[in-house]
Amino acid sequence: MRNLKLFERFKSTQIHAFNSQDSPSTSNNGSPRTKFLGHPKSSSKSISRSRFPHGFPTTELMEPPLDSYLKPIDLVESLSTLYRRIESSSESERSMLYLEQYTVLRSLGDAKLLRRCLLNARRHAVDVPCKVVLSAWLRFDRREHELVGVESMDCNGFAIECPKTSLTHGCDLNLVNEHCKCSTLSDEEEIGSDDIRISRADEFSGLDEDSDFAFCLGSEKAKCVRSRIAALSRPFEAMLYGSFVESRTSEIDFSENGISIEAMLALNIYSRIKRVDLFRVETVFELLELASKFCCDDLKSACESRLASSVTDVDKALTFVEYALEERTKLLLSACLQVFLRDLPQSLRNSKVMRFFCSSEAKEQLAFLGSECLFLLYYFLSQVGMEEKLTTEPMLILLERTRELARTNWQKAVSLHQMGYVLFERKDYKAAQFHFRLASSLGHVYSLAGVSRTEYKQGQRYSAYKLMAYLISNHKPHGWMYQERSLYNVGVEKLKDLATATELDPTLTFPYKYRAVMKFEQKQIKEAFEEVDRLIQFKLTPDSLELRAWLFLAIGDRKSCLRDLRAVLCLEPNYVVFGGRMRDDLAEALTTKCIEVESEADCWVRLYESWSAVDDVGSLGVVHQMLQNDPSKNFLRFRQSLLLLRLNCQGAAMRCLRTAWNLAASEAERLVYEGWLLYDMCYVNEALSKAEKAISIQRSFEAFFLKAYVLADKNFDPDESSCVVQVLEEALKCPSDGLRKGQALNNLGSIYIECGLLDQAETAYKNALAIKHTRAHQGLARVYFLKNQRKEACEEMTKLIEKAFSKAAAYEKRSEYCERENAKEDLDKATTLDPLRTYPYRYRAAVLMDDQRETEAVEELSKAIAFRPELQTLHLRAAFHEATGNLSLASQDCEAALCLDPNHTETLHLYSRSKDQASSIDNTILGLD
């Protein structure tokens, strides 16, 4: 009866989702900053007639987003297998294996880990076209196209991304940290410009002194040396020294070959000095055609290199690419592709470039590059399109081309799944369902979520429910399975599914948002805010902040609403707040009432209050307002980037630093921001060099702070840490505000602790607290603990907990200074506030292991690994497996951990030990047999 009732309820009319694909685009409605913070003139008059106030989301209209990347059903096993394949692979296979690793790890969202995969793929690439694609991918990954004044073909100084280095064949495993030499042009390169022409009068008159024959083109002659021309190729040798008539004559008629006299003169010069950089590009094209016709391999290579170096912009690339395809010159074609790819994402909006990539002839014309290079090319193009959220026809063609070129299962699965995703966004649900099914048939189980969603969109709600129920019963449960099934479930069962989804994977945001809206609809206002606050505490996203802003707006708290929306625009400046559905009069009323004229001093007071309360969202809101009032205050963007990094919003933080770089008022200031960007890319020495150069130009707090930060990261021993102390002391002497000085004092205390100077550390932390740097309580607690003053350490952390708006880290840290029972309570509280923190899971597992409850200990770690398989947690579970004799699982966890960090010493030792033990057991069994 229960199933019958459920089926009847599924037959009800479907209400489609309220999501961004139904919203007007940014281009139609102006910028979101204007739309909300100014006085917008939206065309959405129908909203006022909507039954939903201000477009407020309702539970009926909410649905979770589909993910566009691969989500392995068992990520640990996938990483383990991938590690073994990489270790046993040949050098030529490794580049594509690292690209597969990049694809598998996309679901973790770790930007640095993904960049390392791309660096390894580029490092092991051999073919020029593959190197070109991967170098351009690394450039796009750094978003260098967002920097003002940086051209697409500019070299950033690192060989691994250098456009010239990419055009050389072969791999160099030491390339990652090498500097390229292309910044210092030789005199020869400067001479070889397109403007230089051959003078047939007297510029090269000395070259014809020992000529013994001539090529005739009409009335003009190109005098040459027979032996030198013959040395260019076998065909020329046969012509000039074989049994042909040409071998016995001093003048050879070359008029029928379609070659100009200028090209023949150039051929004479090349045969003598082996250089083509002196000639015009048009002449080199003719030489290349001649080289192809007469099999002059060295001349052909020289011409290709010369032409490749001449491709410097999109217009030239579009001109040269047709010839490159016609002559099948891989180097020249690679140079043209490089220009297109390094200009991404702008290239995706260039109709001529897209016509080239998407034309029906392109696949056949590009085939000589090889299927692997072509897959890599179209995979990169499609990934850029996915990040740009393109759903156009050309985007579909790029994905279809990627699918056609795919050879392995993972390549086919990712292209089919993303094809389904884009078709879903275009509301072509039938076609999307077809592609999702194909992806699932290749073993990508998550694609079945796409199948069920498309069924739901086509009114087959019960079929969608049955599919997800089947998945849950036949696979190890995952949070996304219950989240997806909740969409098709009803009543209490829906809430149970959402609760299970949160328990299995607390990183899923939809369950929190759904419960918040549901409680708000039930007029449980406090509970609704608690639900969304819980989410924002550990996972800050634009949509979660927007939802809370919506709640504030609904209860009339316009100031809090505006604060959250300012924070949204810090995370994503082009975010269309409220989906563009907000009424004109409401938006104007909100901004008019909230944007009060505040003095700069008032803003600073509010920033100090938010900063001292460890209210990072509130601080973001104030910083955004201060920058809006005065965009020239670039140092606030650095403060903003620190806040965003603290909130685990790395992409937004780097965007903020790039904006600061663009708006820098001086060379010294620009060098500081460039240093931070380099530091984020793990170029530590280069970041240090930028800091020192900035200091040499102008002593500033920011430059000294960068230098100290980088030096501290270089893992100096305590004897050398005095250098960091001196740099921080110099920073404190420079003009600055209390917020930045508090950070510097806090860092200074940390260095003192490393040096064993506890009294100095205590003084530094107390000075930081005196200017309201609340986080210094944590450092001071550490000092007390090291002085064996455990009670004082615990009390210091309690002060931080009482003051801080974000408390999870404080609870976790206080647990180190408490008794065992109190420590467990603090860690449970930390998990409740921020379930993404893995230390509490490891601590609880270690306690269970000490109590000889091995199974429960492993289960505790498995909870965290299910949604965040980080290195330390995997290593600890591997050690537990080894201790309980489960050596195969120990090896698997070690392999997964080493896939994340192949140089982790402790895991390498554990892995070796587990394999040795397993081998010993196998030998023993064989001996008994």
Side-chain angles (χ1 to χ4, degrees), residues 907-927:
T907 303
L908 284 168
H909 290 160
L910 177 57
Y911 183 45
S912 176
R913 197 166 62 240
S914 297
K915 289 200 299 183
D916 289 344
Q917 290 180 36
S919 177
S920 176
I921 291 171
D922 290 343
N923 291 335
T924 302
I925 293 172
L926 287 173

Side-chain angles (χ1 to χ4, degrees), residues 54-115:
H54 323 315
F56 189 86
T58 70
T59 51
E60 287 181 326
L61 301 179
M62 294 179 70
E63 64 179 60
L66 287 172
D67 291 327
S68 62
Y69 41 76
L70 291 187
K71 290 171 71 82
I73 194 70
D74 189 338
L75 183 56
V76 172
E77 183 181 352
S78 297
L79 293 177
S80 169
T81 303
L82 194 51
Y83 175 78
R84 291 197 305 272
R85 288 169 57 206
I86 290 172
E87 289 300 302
S88 62
S89 65
S90 64
E91 195 61 46
S92 61
E93 297 172 323
R94 288 202 170 185
S95 183
M96 288 305 290
L97 284 171
Y98 281 117
L99 185 66
E100 181 180 352
Q101 184 186 39
Y102 170 88
T103 304
V104 170
L105 291 173
R106 281 289 302 276
S107 60
L108 298 184
D110 187 329
K112 291 190 176 181
L113 188 58
L114 293 176
R115 181 169 177 83

Side-chain angles (χ1 to χ4, degrees), residues 858-874:
V858 170
E859 287 175 354
E860 184 67 26
L861 292 176
S862 299
K863 289 179 188 176
I865 289 171
F867 61 86
R868 194 173 183 184
E870 67 166 21
L871 175 66
Q872 291 178 310
T873 315
L874 284 166

